[in-house]
């Protein structure tokens, strides 16, 4: 088949590369000229394990190329962003634009698949009317549905192949057609359903995790108030065979867990009360951490804070919805001078290394537990600081090691 993938981001490009590896002719469409130019040279502009080699091989074999506009194809896959607006609603302009771009190229027998995570009803109420402006009928002349991705950055290629997948169609034939397309490379089970169920399933998966994390973050605040270590509490509670509480932290980021629950709230605001409250708890964690830092450094003149890690999760370069990027301006608003370091999200705004970031600072904040930070010389860092305070939001360094290095150690979810 010839497959046209609209959107070459964290999901679109790996998906395009996997289809190309499976022997299909794949055209990747993106409005970013830098991404298209890099792809046609066999390069990528994002960090993802093994993706660079896979793209290089697919381009060299002539099965993958980048363009700025769609082409005639057998299959169209929409994998564009669906960000939040300031009022916590889904910004669907990229999905709408992709559908409008596809429509002139649509022909009888085509399949159109929405991969972008979207609010309930997007396929039926947004995509279908646009695509049928071609004069063709969805379900009669062409197949249409939703097949959401279920992968995490850092393991995308493995999980694209091995994770189970949902194929949701506007009718049974569309669902079967979508499933047959993904069986080109998916080794996990593929479950068929209607498009609305597929849309809500993806939102529900991430909302479940968000609520669980919100519970852990609320427990962390309770534990700080009553003098219990939340990490030990969760460890012991999870010994129960039917309990699995996630871990607390400085907030929730990424394009999925921090975003998808709002798509449910948007369509069911009167009913989704628990979901909305969980989102508010997690969104408020940067403010909670800022308050904890203010308490630790109370009375310090011209306080300086160094932050380790700014991405939304460890060992990736993805900063979308990162709670640390929300925390940094909050600290500056409170009068702190702030420096930051991240081994993956480099740039002019960040220090070259952790040691220079901590120079003459009064507190070191561990915001993201990158594996690289296991190799840090904590004693050397403490020696560079004006006041060797360490606030660990991920229970990463451990009190014993930090105090042996000369730090005053503080842990999120533990009162001291």
């Amino acid at each position: 088949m010839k497959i046209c993938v609209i959107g070459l981001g964290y999901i679109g490009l790996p998906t395009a590369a996997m289809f190309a590896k499976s022997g299909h002719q794949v055209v990747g469409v993106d409005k970013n000229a830098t991404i298209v130019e890099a792809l046609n040279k066999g390069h990528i502009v994002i960090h993802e394990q093994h993706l660079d080699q896979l793209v290089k091989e697919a381009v060299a074999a002539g099965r993958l190329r980048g363009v700025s506009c769609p082409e005639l194809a057998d299959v169209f896959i929409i994998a564009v962003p669906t960000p939040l607006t300031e009022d916590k609603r889904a910004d669907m302009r990229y999905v709408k634009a992709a559908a409008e771009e596809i429509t002139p190229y649509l022909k009888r027998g085509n399949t159109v698949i929405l991969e972008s995570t979207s609010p309930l009803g997007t396929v039926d109420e947004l995509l279908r009317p646009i695509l049928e402006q071609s004069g063709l009928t969805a379900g009669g002349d062409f197949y249409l549905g939703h097949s959401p991705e279920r992968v995490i950055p850092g393991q995308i290629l493995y999980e694209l192949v091995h994770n189970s997948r949902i194929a949701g169609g506007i009718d049974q034939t569309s669902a079967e057609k979508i499933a047959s397309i993904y069986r080109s490379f998916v080794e996990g089970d593929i479950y068929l359903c209607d498009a609305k169920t597929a849309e809500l399933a993806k939102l529900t998966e991430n909302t479940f995790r968000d609520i669980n994390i919100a519970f852990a973050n609320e427990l962390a605040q309770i534990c700080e108030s009553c003098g219990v270590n939340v990490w030990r509490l969760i460890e012991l509670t999870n010994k129960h065979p039917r309990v699995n509480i996630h871990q607390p932290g400085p907030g929730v980021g990424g394009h999925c867990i921090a975003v998808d629950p709002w798509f449910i709230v948007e369509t069911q605001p009167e009913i989704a009360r628990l979901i909305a409250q969980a989102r508010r708890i997690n969104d408020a964690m940067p403010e909670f951490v800022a308050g904890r830092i203010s308490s630790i450094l109370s009375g310090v003149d011209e306080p300086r804070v160094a932050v380790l890690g700014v991405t939304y999760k460890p060992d990736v370069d993805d900063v979308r919805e990162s709670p640390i990027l929300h925390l940094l301006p909050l600290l500056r608003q409170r009068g702190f001078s702030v420096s930051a370091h991240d081994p993956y999200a480099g740039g002019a705004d960040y220090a070259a290394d952790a040691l220079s970031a901590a120079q003459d600072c009064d507190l070191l904040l561990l915001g993201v537990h990158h594996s690289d930070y296991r190799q840090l010389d904590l004693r050397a860092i403490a020696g560079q600081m004006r006041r060797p305070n360490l606030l660990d939001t991920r229970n990463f360094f451990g009190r014993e090691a930090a105090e042996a290095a000369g730090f005053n150690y503080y842990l999120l979810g533990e009162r001291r």
Side-chain angles (χ1 to χ4, degrees):
M1 293 181 293
K2 181 178 179 181
I3 299 175
C4 184
V5 179
I6 316 297
L8 295 175
Y10 286 92
I11 299 303
L13 182 56
T15 300
M18 288 303 304
F19 276 117
K21 180 182 178 182
S22 302
H24 302 293
Q25 293 295 318
V26 183
V27 176
V29 182
D30 204 286
K31 296 303 182 184
N32 188 322
T34 301
I35 292 175
V36 172
E37 182 179 351
L39 172 59
N40 288 328
K41 293 179 180 178
H43 302 151
I44 63 175
V45 299
I46 59 177
H47 176 82
E48 178 59 40
Q49 190 175 20
H50 306 308
L51 180 59
D52 54 348
Q53 186 62 32
L54 182 60
V55 167
K56 181 180 179 180
E57 292 172 356
V59 172
R63 291 193 299 269
L64 176 60
R65 57 188 173 87
V67 296
S68 59
C69 296
E71 299 179 359
L72 289 170
D74 302 300
V75 179
F76 295 92
I77 297 175
I78 299 174
V80 296
T82 49
L84 282 176
T85 62
E86 290 187 4
D87 60 350
K88 305 297 185 183
R89 299 177 67 84
D91 183 350
M92 301 304 293
R93 57 181 162 166
Y94 302 111
V95 172
K96 182 175 182 290
E100 290 171 343
E101 283 197 321
I102 289 171
T103 300
Y105 300 94
L106 202 60
K107 63 182 188 294
R108 192 178 303 274
N110 279 175
T111 302
V112 180
I113 305 169
L114 176 67
E115 278 207 17
S116 305
T117 305
S118 302
L120 187 64
T122 296
V123 169
D124 285 312
E125 298 166 19
L126 177 64
L127 284 187
R128 185 173 191 162
I130 294 173
L131 296 172
E132 289 187 338
Q133 291 176 12
S134 65
L136 302 175
T137 302
D141 298 317
F142 66 94
Y143 310 102
L144 174 64
H146 181 51
S147 184
E149 48 79 19
R150 287 171 152 175
V151 298
I152 58 172
Q155 300 180 44
I156 290 177
L157 296 183
Y158 178 86
E159 294 199 346
L160 278 176
V161 174
H162 297 284
N163 287 1
S164 63
R165 194 170 191 112
I166 296 173
I170 61 165
D171 54 23
Q172 182 68 18
T173 305
S174 290
E176 292 171 353
K177 184 68 174 180
I178 292 168
S180 70
I181 291 167
Y182 282 103
R183 285 196 180 100
S184 297
F185 63 83
V186 173
E187 296 179 10
D189 294 329
I190 301 179
Y191 301 97
L192 277 61
C193 64
D194 61 273
K196 277 192 174 181
T197 300
E199 290 165 342
L200 190 54
K202 174 58 188 292
L203 300 179
T204 300
E205 292 164 5
N206 287 323
T207 298
F208 166 79
R209 297 171 66 197
D210 191 51
I211 292 173
N212 195 321
I213 295 169
F215 179 51
N217 281 331
E218 191 165 272
L219 282 176
Q221 297 178 48
I222 292 170
C223 287
E224 286 198 13
S225 177
C226 66
V228 173
N229 183 309
V230 73
W231 305 91
R232 181 59 173 160
L233 172 69
I234 291 175
E235 177 188 3
L236 294 175
T237 305
N238 283 349
K239 300 297 183 182
H240 189 290
R242 290 175 293 280
V243 175
N244 181 27
I245 304 171
H246 291 352
Q247 294 186 332
V252 175
H255 188 59
C256 293
I257 301 179
V259 174
D260 295 359
W262 289 121
F263 292 178
I264 299 179
V265 175
E266 174 183 339
T267 56
Q268 301 290 330
E270 300 300 321
I271 301 174
R273 299 185 301 275
L274 174 63
I275 294 171
Q277 182 60 18
R279 272 284 73 234
R280 286 190 283 267
I281 290 171
N282 287 333
D283 278 350
M285 285 306 293
E287 182 69 43
F288 181 79
V289 173
R292 184 76 188 277
I293 293 172
S294 295
S295 176
I296 295 170
L297 298 182
S298 177
V300 174
D301 292 332
E302 299 181 358
R304 297 174 56 86
V305 175
V307 178
L308 297 183
V310 300
T311 59
Y312 92 87
K313 63 173 290 184
D315 301 338
V316 301
D317 65 346
D318 195 343
V319 299
R320 291 177 295 175
E321 303 298 325
S322 168
I324 303 302
L325 293 185
H326 293 288
L327 174 62
L328 297 181
L330 291 176
L331 293 175
R332 294 186 176 106
Q333 290 170 15
R334 288 172 176 257
F336 295 102
S337 295
V338 182
S339 59
H341 169 263
D342 192 292
Y344 294 90
D349 294 335
Y350 306 124
D353 53 56
L355 192 64
S356 57
Q359 181 76 37
D360 296 326
C361 285
D362 302 294
L363 183 140
L364 180 69
L365 175 75
L366 188 282
V368 184
H369 48 306
H370 292 303
S371 57
D372 300 52
Y373 290 150
R374 288 289 183 198
Q375 312 305 319
L376 291 179
D377 186 340
L378 291 182
R379 186 176 297 277
I381 292 174
Q384 293 291 317
M385 296 178 65
R386 186 166 64 177
R387 292 176 178 83
N389 295 303
L390 170 58
L391 173 56
D392 188 343
T393 68
R394 303 300 315 188
N395 195 26
F396 182 73
F397 290 120
R399 179 177 301 281
E400 184 177 348
E403 291 183 343
F407 277 104
N408 302 313
Y409 183 75
Y410 302 88
L411 178 63
L412 177 70
E414 179 187 57
R415 183 173 68 191
R416 184 186 173 196

